[in-house]
Amino acid sequence: MAEIRMESPDASLCPFIKMYFWGYDTNVPRVQRIVPNGEMGLCFYRRGDVSYVAADWVAASQKSCIMGQGMHYNDIIAEGEVEIVGTHFTALGASVLIGGSMHDYYGRVVSVADMGDTGLMTLEERIGEAETPEECFELMDRFFLERLASIDADNLNLRRLKRAIAYGQRLRRDVRIEDMAMEACLSKRQFGRIFADTVGMPPKDYLRIMRYRRTLADLKAAKGREPVSRIAWRNGYYDFSHLTSDFIKISGYTPSVLLDLSANDNDDAGWRI
């Protein structure tokens, strides 16, 4: 039987963390699919043997890991009893609270041990020893609050990227990287480098993921009452075949199959199937 809990972070962390989550299943499905959503995640497995599999690589059994950005789905392979606790960052959050270049994690799932972050390794140990999900949430909240207090979380580049991302999200069609760079008061080249280091993927890839998410949300909300071709055009796809090709690349499924699989997940982004 599966159990899931979600918890909001301290208010001062909300610009950087969307939520903490905990899940437990005594008989987890052997394969679960993770679809890119433009945001990074940090996962700690308290029980279970879990591996991540992509089209061109396999991440060995993980006890804790950070999931980098990417354009392709990953499959989680697990058996039996699994317990997970983790952090779902905002688009800019991981760079602030983890540090370093997030582009180093692009297309990768990296264990906490391989990150060389002694603070995260200590957090991993304490989460493993915690008795309840609530204690895990408190540990993560305290850890990230301490990090936030020691860094400049309102630097110029972060403010620039916030403006550029907000600008890109206001538009459904014809979002140009040049215009986002202008909104950030940067050259296109500077913007691309800073964006990739901070968000974890190039701006072009991020815009494709956002288009996919908007389109999936619209398709789920329409419930067949609006032509798919109209939804596709509104979100910047040339036609239905263009939409289908993008959905297959990102999620591994056609739009109709993905809608069936994620019909009851209450998640517009359909990031976990």
Side-chain angles (χ1 to χ4, degrees):
M1 180 178 178
E3 298 179 60
I4 298 174
R5 299 185 198 175
M6 299 176 187
E7 183 76 17
S8 298
D10 182 89
S12 59
L13 289 168
C14 287
F16 314 105
I17 295 175
K18 279 197 167 182
M19 65 176 178
Y20 303 123
F21 58 89
W22 172 87
Y24 174 71
D25 198 335
T26 55
N27 189 23
V28 68
R30 188 172 187 277
V31 180
Q32 292 187 74
R33 179 153 295 181
I34 301 294
V35 179
N37 67 354
E39 294 151 351
M40 294 176 63
L42 178 65
C43 301
F44 301 95
Y45 288 94
R46 285 159 49 89
R47 296 183 233 187
D49 189 22
V50 178
S51 299
Y52 288 75
V53 179
D56 54 355
W57 56 262
V58 176
S61 178
Q62 299 291 330
K63 284 299 180 185
S64 59
C65 59
I66 188 166
M67 296 180 60
Q69 302 275 26
M71 285 300 298
H72 304 278
Y73 62 87
N74 301 327
D75 286 335
I76 299 178
I77 311 297
E79 290 186 7
E81 184 182 42
V82 171
E83 182 182 3
I84 181 175
V85 62
T87 302
H88 182 163
F89 296 104
T90 63
L92 301 175
S95 67
V96 173
L97 298 173
I98 300 298
S101 172
M102 295 300 100
H103 200 247
D104 289 344
Y105 303 108
Y106 183 76
R108 301 172 65 202
V109 175
V110 181
S111 71
V112 166
D114 289 338
M115 292 171 66
D117 188 322
T118 56
L120 281 177
M121 292 170 71
T122 301
L123 177 63
E124 177 187 23
E125 292 177 7
R126 291 176 177 169
I127 284 177
E129 297 167 355
E131 295 184 359
T132 65
E134 289 74 21
E135 187 179 348
C136 293
F137 296 151
E138 290 173 7
L139 285 167
M140 290 187 291
D141 217 40
R142 194 179 313 132
F143 174 81
F144 288 121
L145 281 170
E146 290 175 359
R147 288 230 160 159
L148 187 62
S150 67
I151 58 178
D152 177 12
D154 190 36
N155 65 59
L156 179 58
N157 282 339
L158 281 176
R159 295 199 301 272
R160 285 170 164 169
L161 292 181
K162 285 178 185 176
R163 289 200 307 270
I165 289 173
Y167 169 81
Q169 290 175 341
R170 288 197 301 270
L171 302 178
R172 283 187 169 265
R173 290 186 56 86
D174 305 323
V175 183
R176 300 193 312 159
I177 296 172
E178 293 89 339
D179 294 336
M180 292 180 70
M182 187 177 298
E183 188 74 14
C185 300
L186 293 165
S187 69
K188 182 180 178 182
R189 183 176 181 181
Q190 286 176 315
F191 176 72
R193 176 179 56 80
I194 293 171
F195 191 99
D197 281 343
T198 307
V199 177
M201 67 195 318
K204 181 179 179 181
D205 289 354
Y206 180 81
L207 290 174
R208 285 186 65 186
I209 295 295
M210 291 303 101
R211 179 177 63 183
Y212 158 82
R213 289 185 60 177
R214 287 195 308 268
T215 305
L216 178 58
D218 285 355
L219 288 169
K220 293 174 78 169
K223 297 181 179 179
R225 294 188 296 265
E226 183 178 6
V228 175
S229 57
R230 183 185 300 168
I231 294 174
W233 182 87
R234 184 170 68 239
N235 285 288
Y237 291 104
Y238 300 120
D239 51 31
F240 180 68
S241 63
H242 183 203
L243 181 154
T244 299
S245 174
D246 216 38
F247 268 52
I248 291 173
K249 179 175 182 180
I250 294 170
S251 73
Y253 298 115
T254 63
S256 59
V257 172
L258 183 58
L259 284 171
D260 287 341
L261 289 171
S262 62
N264 300 312
D265 62 5
N266 297 314
D267 174 16
D268 289 341
W271 71 279
R272 188 163 186 156
I273 303 167

